Every structure is written in C-alpha cells, then in structure tokens.
Amino acid sequence: MTNNQIFLVELIQIFAQYRNNIIVNIKHLQEHYQRTGIKRVKGVRNETGELLQPWLRTEYMDNAEYVGMGEFQFNRNTATINMLIKRKVKLAKFEDQTPTLEVAGLLVNDLNSFNNYTIVSDGKINVKSLLVKISSKKAFDLLKEKGVLDAEYFDFNAEYSIQLDNLPLVASDSRYSNIDGLFYELAEIKVLASIISAHLKGESDVFIATQLDEFQKHYLSKNIYINFPTTNEYTDINEALLNGTLDSRLSYKIDIGSKDILNLSKLHSANKFLDRMYQVYHQETGEIFTKPSFAIAFKENLSFRYKPLSSRIKITKVDEFMKPIFDDFLGVEKNGIAVGILKKVGADSLAQLLGDKQTGKQISKEEMVSALTAANNKLEQYAEKIYQDKISPLVFYIGCTGLFPDQMEAKAMTAEKAAAKYPDLQFSKDEQEGTFFAVGDSILSIYAKTEYYSKLISVCIDN
C-alpha cells in the first residue's frame, strides 16, 4: 500500500508506547477472532468423558464494549505476537451466582483475568483489524502520519479502524543483535530458576499452608491469580478433524542452542537432575532419601553428595553444564557459579544466604523462602529481557521472511550433517526433520510441528 509508511512491528511499538491512550473494541475482536489452538473449557473430565464444571465461575466487572489496549509480546521460538488483555473480574458460585468476596482472610472482589489474542501467528496476520478509540492527539497524529488512519481530524469520541493485514510485517533491512553467548546465559538462568521453583512448590513468602489450601479450593494461585482447571473441548481429536470442527497446520519452531546442547528443552528438570546425580541424606542418622526431590529441601540436617553412578548412566554435555550450578547451589562444591548468576541478575539476598549457608550459618525457612521468591522474579525478568530485546525479534524476522538478516552468515545443514559435525547434539523426532544453521558459536534450529486449532469464526471468552 503506497500510503502506508510503517511495518507491523513498528505499529505495535506505537501501540505499546500509547497503550494508556488507546482502547480496543473487545466485542469486535472476539467476534472476528480465529483461535490458533484447540479451545479449552473450564473443568475436568471424569472416566466417561463427562465434563465436570468448577463450583466457582468468574464474572466480568465491566461488561464493557471497550477494554484497555493489551500488552504485546513476541513468542520465544515462533514468529508470533500476542496481545495480552487484562480485565477485572469477581468470583461467584456456579449454581446461583452468589459472589465470593473473601478467601482465607483476603478480599478477592478485585481480581484480574488475562486473555491472549494472537495478532501474528507463525509469520501470518491472524487479526485483520482492530477497532479503537484514541484519547491522545499525539498518538492520533503519529498513526495518521504513518498512514494507518484515514481520518482528517482528531475526535476522541470517534471509533477508528486500523487495518493490520495490509502492512508488511518487518523491514527487509532490519538489523539484529549478535546472539553469541546468549544460549548459555539463558541456560544458566533456566537451570537456577528450575532449582528455585522446585524449592518453592507449595511455599509462599506471604501466606501459610492452610491459606494456600483455601486458595487452591477457590481456584486461586499463591500469587492470587485465577487458576481454573481446563481441558480440551474435544475428547476425540480425530473425530473433530473428520467433522470439520478442528483443523491442523504446521508451526515452525526456531530455537537457539549451542554446538553441544541443541536447545533449552534438553536441560533436565531440577528434581530429575537431583535424583540423577546426587544423594540426599540426613547428617545425623545417615539416612539416604530414595527418589529425592526439592520438596524435602527445608527439612533440617539435610546434606547432599554425589551419587555413585551406574554403568548405565552416560554423562552428557547437558550433565556437564548443569552439574557445576547444582554443586554450588547445594554446597557440594563451592565454585561460585550459582552465586555469580544470582548477583548478575540482582538477586543479592539469595546470593548472600547461600554464602552464609555454605559457611555453616543456620538460615530460617521463612528467610530462605522470601529470598528464593525474590530471586525467582529477578531471574525471570532478566531472561525475558534477553528474549524480547535480542532473540524474539530475530526469531520473528526469520519466521516471517524465511531468511536470515543480511549481517548473519549461516549455512544450512540437515540433522544428519549437524549430528556428524557436532556429535554431542541430541535430536527429537520433530527436530530430526529440521534444518540447522551454525551462527557464530550458536546453532539455530528450524523445524515443523503439527498444531491443531478449533475452526471457529468467532470466539466468546467464557466467564
């Protein structure tokens, strides 16, 4: 379009900049929205497949035609952009709509619901247009200058249609950050975050255990987010495909890895690696805990040591990478790696406590849970910034164009050739059909996975 002077990514940046001055017609969005996955419904299914509804439901407090502009986020390994819309809701009994105002001593009459709308799905526009109202003349003038508004004069009462499906997604001459070293930085964070999350399962730095039980009964997480159980709308995918209510598409995954570890999914979970490599024992009795997990991490007089490995266990590059982080965190070998990661992301409190613990100082459970919670948030924020600033925009460009940026030199390899050149790499079934590129000290993987989605012309978000 000759009158357009903007790419979709730039438009979304403007939306993000002026999100407090733009409201979206949510009814129009829902009526024209095509799901990109299988519709999920609230509840669980019994042995016969019957859907059992939760005893509570949510009700929107506004029930308005317009909602605030959502927050935009690039997917981490597909050319996808989502818009997350937040709305105020209240809990009520499913049977008679009696409101639930208080749970475990906490007022719950001002909760938030979150719904993601996929604007771009695997490099293709999924939302053709948005109907909006604009309260800022600066935002109006900028959008008009960029050619996405055809109105002559600013009117804060007017509804404007912004077409998305006539915009190019990215600029062909876009430049992207060097990705050298990013995989191992993210891998360190993932390993440490996994250890911390395993410690915090069922723990809170604010509420006691009986309160957490009450929250769970009322479908609330320990962070007071609504957390209903959900299940697929269809019990038989093949039947749904045959009757046309479900369809499939290929989704192209673009993962970053190294020449030793193909991607982050190859890392073990914290509990699995603990059981694989370590013994957990009681310092006074010598009792060894079989099938250990971090669920017992707060027991007194626990200690860790290496497990004698059987001949069946083959040490991999994943093991070699994860072991020093675990060693430092558990105090098996004080190498400073885990503490260094924590200091880098600003989790100084946990870094200090680990140092104190390694010198034999007694740390209270409450103090440790508080430090672990704060550290988990810092790790998540640090990793998310790396993705949103450096990795996801590159993934989006490659997924939209099918090309690498001009400044990146990369030669394609099959899985067979990549395995021959880098013998420590391990491939899943889907990855074996993929294409691989060596970019500096990194490996970029591109492979297809079949995704199913509900063929609904319009979607209403259930209360």
Side-chain angles (χ1 to χ4, degrees):
M1 300 288 288
T2 55
N3 64 323
N4 288 130
Q5 304 171 36
I6 194 172
F7 297 91
L8 181 71
V9 168
E10 186 184 355
L11 175 61
I12 284 175
Q13 290 170 347
I14 294 173
F15 284 160
Q17 181 182 354
Y18 290 99
R19 61 182 299 267
N20 294 325
N21 302 108
I22 302 174
I23 56 177
V24 178
N25 188 321
I26 188 66
K27 295 187 185 297
H28 172 268
L29 176 58
Q30 290 174 346
E31 287 169 3
H32 296 84
Y33 184 70
Q34 171 60 59
R35 290 182 184 273
T36 57
I38 299 177
K39 181 182 178 182
R40 295 186 67 81
V41 291
K42 291 171 184 172
V44 296
R45 296 191 185 277
N46 61 17
E47 294 177 355
T48 65
E50 179 188 1
L51 182 65
L52 305 178
Q53 296 277 3
W55 69 279
L56 292 175
R57 55 174 283 173
T58 55
E59 296 176 355
Y60 290 120
M61 296 175 67
D62 52 30
N63 199 28
E65 186 176 3
Y66 284 85
V67 297
M69 174 66 76
E71 295 185 18
F72 293 90
Q73 192 168 48
F74 287 90
N75 189 278
R76 291 183 172 185
N77 72 340
T78 64
T80 296
I81 298 176
N82 293 315
M83 178 174 65
L84 183 68
I85 287 181
K86 179 173 73 172
R87 297 177 72 179
K88 293 291 184 183
V89 296
K90 59 184 178 181
L91 285 173
K93 288 184 180 179
F94 184 83
E95 289 185 353
D96 58 11
Q97 286 76 57
T98 302
T100 298
L101 303 177
E102 177 265 327
V103 177
L106 187 74
L107 289 177
V108 292
N109 57 350
D110 190 27
L111 300 172
N112 291 313
S113 74
F114 298 89
N115 294 100
N116 254 327
Y117 293 88
T118 300
I119 304 299
V120 180
S121 174
D122 283 295
K124 297 178 182 178
I125 290 287
N126 190 58
V127 173
K128 293 182 179 180
S129 66
L130 292 172
L131 294 183
V132 302
K133 288 185 177 180
I134 304 170
S135 62
S136 163
K137 188 173 185 302
K138 284 184 178 180
F140 173 86
D141 291 341
L142 181 57
L143 291 169
K144 182 175 172 59
E145 176 191 333
K146 297 295 183 179
V148 294
L149 291 179
D150 57 6
E152 197 67 33
Y153 302 105
F154 171 63
D155 182 355
F156 52 81
N157 289 314
E159 182 177 74
Y160 302 106
S161 177
I162 297 181
Q163 290 297 128
L164 306 180
D165 59 351
N166 62 358
L167 300 177
L169 297 177
V170 292
S172 59
D173 59 351
S174 301
R175 299 192 67 82
Y176 297 93
S177 302
N178 189 311
I179 61 173
D180 284 351
L182 292 183
F183 171 74
Y184 281 116
E185 191 171 13
L186 288 169
E188 287 178 341
I189 291 172
K190 182 172 181 180
V191 171
L192 202 46
S194 179
I195 296 172
I196 292 172
S197 295
H199 276 78
L200 291 175
K201 187 173 182 180
E203 301 290 346
S204 170
D205 62 338
V206 179
F207 304 107
I208 64 174
T210 50
Q211 287 178 297
L212 296 179
D213 290 340
E214 281 298 303
F215 292 152
Q216 188 173 15
K217 291 175 188 175
H218 289 79
Y219 311 108
L220 296 172
S221 73
K222 62 183 178 182
N223 296 318
I224 322 300
Y225 291 128
I226 297 166
N227 190 25
F228 284 110
T230 62
T231 183
N232 283 345
E233 181 181 29
Y234 308 107
T235 55
D236 189 326
I237 287 180
N238 291 326
E239 182 182 337
L241 288 167
L242 286 173
N243 65 30
T245 55
L246 203 65
D247 206 346
S248 65
R249 60 184 174 85
L250 285 179
S251 174
Y252 288 90
K253 312 298 179 185
I254 304 168
D255 278 327
I256 182 175
S258 73
K259 294 169 182 177
D260 293 326
I261 304 172
L262 192 59
N263 54 55
L264 293 174
S265 72
K266 306 303 179 186
L267 301 174
H268 301 299
S269 71
N271 283 328
K272 181 179 178 180
F273 193 73
L274 179 70
D275 185 38
R276 176 178 171 86
M277 301 294 287
Y278 299 91
Q279 279 185 347
V280 184
Y281 66 97
H282 195 277
Q283 290 175 335
E284 294 181 356
T285 66
E287 177 192 0
I288 297 173
F289 294 88
T290 58
K291 291 291 179 185
S293 75
F294 285 107
I296 62 172
F298 294 110
K299 287 182 178 289
E300 292 184 357
N301 298 314
L302 279 189
S303 195
F304 304 86
R305 63 191 175 205
Y306 298 130
K307 175 188 286 187
L309 299 179
S310 72
S311 57
R312 292 177 299 175
I313 293 183
K314 179 185 175 184
I315 299 299
T316 67
K317 291 293 183 181
V318 170
D319 296 322
E320 292 175 2
F321 173 76
M322 294 181 66
K323 182 176 170 293
I325 302 173
F326 269 70
D327 285 351
D328 194 40
F329 192 95
L330 300 176
V332 175
E333 185 176 320
K334 302 169 190 175
N335 54 44
I337 292 178
V339 170
I341 299 167
L342 291 169
K343 288 181 177 178
K344 180 174 68 174
V345 304
D348 297 325
S349 177
L350 182 57
Q352 180 64 47
L353 290 186
L354 287 184
D356 292 344
K357 194 175 180 182
Q358 289 173 358
T359 62
K361 183 179 178 181
Q362 292 297 312
I363 310 296
S364 71
K365 178 181 175 180
E366 290 75 17
E367 191 177 7
M368 182 59 80
V369 168
S370 179
L372 287 166
T373 302
N376 211 29
N377 292 333
K378 291 285 188 181
L379 289 164
E380 185 179 329
Q381 291 166 10
Y382 194 93
E384 183 63 17
K385 183 167 176 57
I386 291 176
Y387 275 110
Q388 295 302 313
D389 290 352
K390 298 180 179 180
I391 293 178
S392 295
L394 174 62
V395 167
F396 189 75
Y397 178 89
I398 295 171
C400 289
T401 65
L403 302 169
F404 277 81
D406 290 340
Q407 73 268 26
M408 285 189 177
E409 294 184 8
K411 188 175 181 181
M413 295 178 284
T414 63
E416 187 178 5
K417 287 185 178 179
K421 191 169 184 180
Y422 309 109
D424 291 305
L425 295 179
Q426 298 174 331
F427 301 85
S428 70
K429 183 179 178 182
D430 288 324
E431 290 162 355
Q432 288 172 8
E433 304 299 321
T435 306
F436 304 88
F437 302 84
V439 181
D441 62 9
S442 303
I443 294 286
L444 281 176
S445 315
I446 303 177
Y447 57 96
K449 288 190 74 172
T450 300
E451 305 278 3
Y452 298 97
Y453 63 94
S454 300
K455 287 176 63 178
L456 296 176
I457 295 174
S458 62
V459 173
C460 237
I461 299 175
D462 301 326
N463 285 342

